[in-house]
Amino acid sequence: MATVSIENRGNIALVLVDNPPVNALSHSVREGLSNAMKACSNDDTIDAVVIACQGRTFIAGADIKEFATGPKAPHLPEVVQEIEDMQKPVVAAIHGTALGGGLEVALSCHYRVALESAKIGLPEVKLGILPGAGGTQRFPRIAGVENALDAILSGRHVKAKQALGWGALDELVADDLVEAAIAFAKGAISKGPRRTGAMEIDSSKYDQAFFDAFRKSIARRTRGYFAPEKCIQCIEAAVRLPLKEGLAFERAAIGECFVHPQSRALQHMFFAERQVSRIPGIGKETPRREIKKVGIIGAGTMGGGIAMNFANVGIPVTLLEIEQAALDKGLAVVRKNYERSAAKGKLSGDDVEKRMGLFNGTVSYDDLSDCDLIIEAVFETMDIKKKVFTSLDAVAKDGAILASNTSYLNIDEIAAVTKRPTDVLGLHFFSPANVMRLLEIVRADATAPDVLATCVDMAKAIGKVGVVAGVCPGFIGNRMLSPYGREASLCVIEGAKPEEVDAAMYGFGMAMGPLTVSDMAGLDIGYLNRKGMDRASYETKATDWYDRLVESGRKGLKVGAGVYDYDEGSRTPKPSAEVMAIIEEESARLGVERKPKTADEIIERCMLALINEGAKILGEGMAYRASDIDVVYVNGYGFPPYRGGPMHYADSLGLKNVYEKICSFADEFGPRWWEPAPLLKELAEAGQSFADYDKKQVG
Ligand code: 3H9
């Protein structure tokens, strides 16, 4: 079926794109648009053209699936040029989202009419590329250089009203978009085409200092990324060069982005995030339960943060605490969080009150009896969790979903204390729960398909990316964190300074070094956990020096001393001579001859430990896809998105290389912690990648 059709409406041609789900600019659409422009030019009965889309959105961009193979002619830059060069006025009729190449098509039209609810954006930077069909040249011309830098470097969706203010849209309508665009086109016949590319930029304001200041303002946010600098260079070119030369500059720049590994990694993340909701045994036909009211047990930082997610989307929440004082404190923290957002202009005062109005505090389990979903976020011990679930079982209504926010404990065991294990699962939120996008959805042995399906949908509804994990200690994320932390710590005992380990991992792109993270989490947490464990079950060489820090009062950031020193009120880690002395004593006690380590050695140890554990998780079926693991690490653990997550990173190294290096570590450090994952061995020997493995999985 043709993806582009033409309907003559009197002397106006209505060119309609119909390429579900998002009208991406696949080859047939590009060809269809190009043919339509030729047909409209040649048709003497036509005086103006409207380009509109069927379905839920205007064109949402180039077809990302085509990037892997390289698109066929006609290429998008040529098609948009053809539209701009039309001798008859062309009007874009925008609904939904005009994104990337879609907006570039609209910018090459001579006028733009949009629904008030529409949004426009140039999100290419998030895919590791840049608006390469004239977007970097035309958008600054029509919307101004500052707005172009904002939109192109953030990739954000700009609301129609703001875009109108920028001059990027000409008219907004509440409804009847196509009719309004046709009327606009009729009015434009006498004016003729107004070409974005022909607009002038007053270059005098935008000197080197202007762009350097902008670069500085985004440096933190874009650390390690390749495409943002290319985007800026293109906008500089738009200021300096005539359109034709600017377009040539843009074309060369997008070419560099396309061959850079970051674009492959970021595109992998785009699809990975959309794969997570494909679950074996769950489909559109699986029934869902209605979630109209949510109960949260525990009004601490975690419980309060979890509750906010639901209030944010208009779902009433009952927050339960054991004591009134703790409840009041929890509710006050929630209010403070909302007020902080209001102070930053993200919410209105009204919004704060509306959201707070959805909170109902209680100290009685009975008040949870009308909740459709109840999530416990209490202290992390099995005994307490079991007591909570026993109480819940007694009060929750039939069909209510009962969830634990445990980050580690066995959900099957928790479910077993209830008379309804099919209604139980894990919902592991990440702190701060109102901010972090990741949600691990833990499918227990007995979890019913409709319970899982409901929670997968719920994750999306509250703006989370929900990844399904199986029941194993630490699920996906924390299970992998353990060997990663072990290797970071062993590097310290073997000779690296803590700040060298952190600098190596930060340089790799992690949001924070592992030892800084330990200080933030509190060294006493792991210490207390280990007290309940058999020393034979963990690597004491990696933990004994931590124990000494805790025993000398260095519990981490909260007390101003941990692996690092912290000045009063400061969160900036400073190397500590006292800690270094303890580390050196521990190395000597263990008979380890300290040797300096390069950043590459540190990265290799930490990353290969992470990857090997990921491969075990995958091989055991605790994650459905390698790409799910990538989504967990990027969204929950500060892994750099531009490396595509640990499993994609492993693929980029080559699984054969990864496997051989892990085997060599097993020889050097002993097999106990470096036994290669059977799946890794299998894939490496077959010359395959984790991406190949994923292709065989569901979805
Ligand atoms: C570009 O334009 C480059 C040019 O400047 C230069 C070229 C020379 N392609 O997100 P959803 C699929 S770069 C292919 O769940 P929503 C998606 O995979 C592009 N497929 O829906 C999913 O498939 P499935 C710049 C795409 O309602 C289905 O559509 N544009 C594309 O939550 C539904 O997607 C962008 O980066 C695509 N471009 O959100 C926009 N887009 O059902 C990317 C979506 O099989 N897209 N799919 O899993 C989006 O941001 C969101 O999809 C959108 C809808 C907001 C449109």
Side-chain angles (χ1 to χ4, degrees), residues 21-22 56 60-64 100-101 104 123-124 127 131-132 270 274 278:
V22 297
R56 65 193 215 221
D63 186 343
I64 304 168
E104 291 172 306
E124 286 87 342
L127 298 168
F270 176 86
R274 282 159 179 80
R278 301 210 160 115

Side-chain angles (χ1 to χ4, degrees), residues 26 30 170 229 249 374 382 481 484 491 559 598 651 691:
S26 318
R30 296 194 304 276
D170 296 290
E229 172 56 25
F249 187 93
I374 306 169
M382 187 50 100
L481 193 60
Y484 170 77
C491 284
V559 297
T598 65
D651 277 353

Side-chain angles (χ1 to χ4, degrees), residues 42 56 116 293 331 347 365 454 460 541 565 621 699:
N42 295 335
R56 65 193 215 221
E116 286 165 359
K293 195 163 187 189
L331 285 169
L347 286 182
Y365 268 85
T454 303
K460 202 168 180 196
K541 276 188 201 169
D565 287 336

Side-chain angles (χ1 to χ4, degrees), residues 341-397:
S341 296
K344 287 187 198 151
K346 290 185 186 161
L347 286 182
S348 69
D350 244 22
D351 290 334
V352 175
E353 293 317 317
K354 238 185 247 157
R355 290 180 195 197
M356 284 311 297
L358 291 167
F359 276 82
N360 175 28
T362 182
V363 289
S364 161
Y365 268 85
D366 291 338
D367 288 331
L368 298 177
S369 62
D370 60 347
C371 292
D372 305 298
L373 164 68
I374 306 169
I375 306 170
E376 70 70 21
V378 301
F379 200 69
E380 189 78 346
T381 67
M382 187 50 100
D383 277 357
I384 298 179
K385 301 276 188 201
K386 283 184 175 172
K387 277 188 197 130
V388 166
F389 271 77
T390 306
S391 308
L392 261 187
D393 200 23
V395 297
K397 67 179 182 185

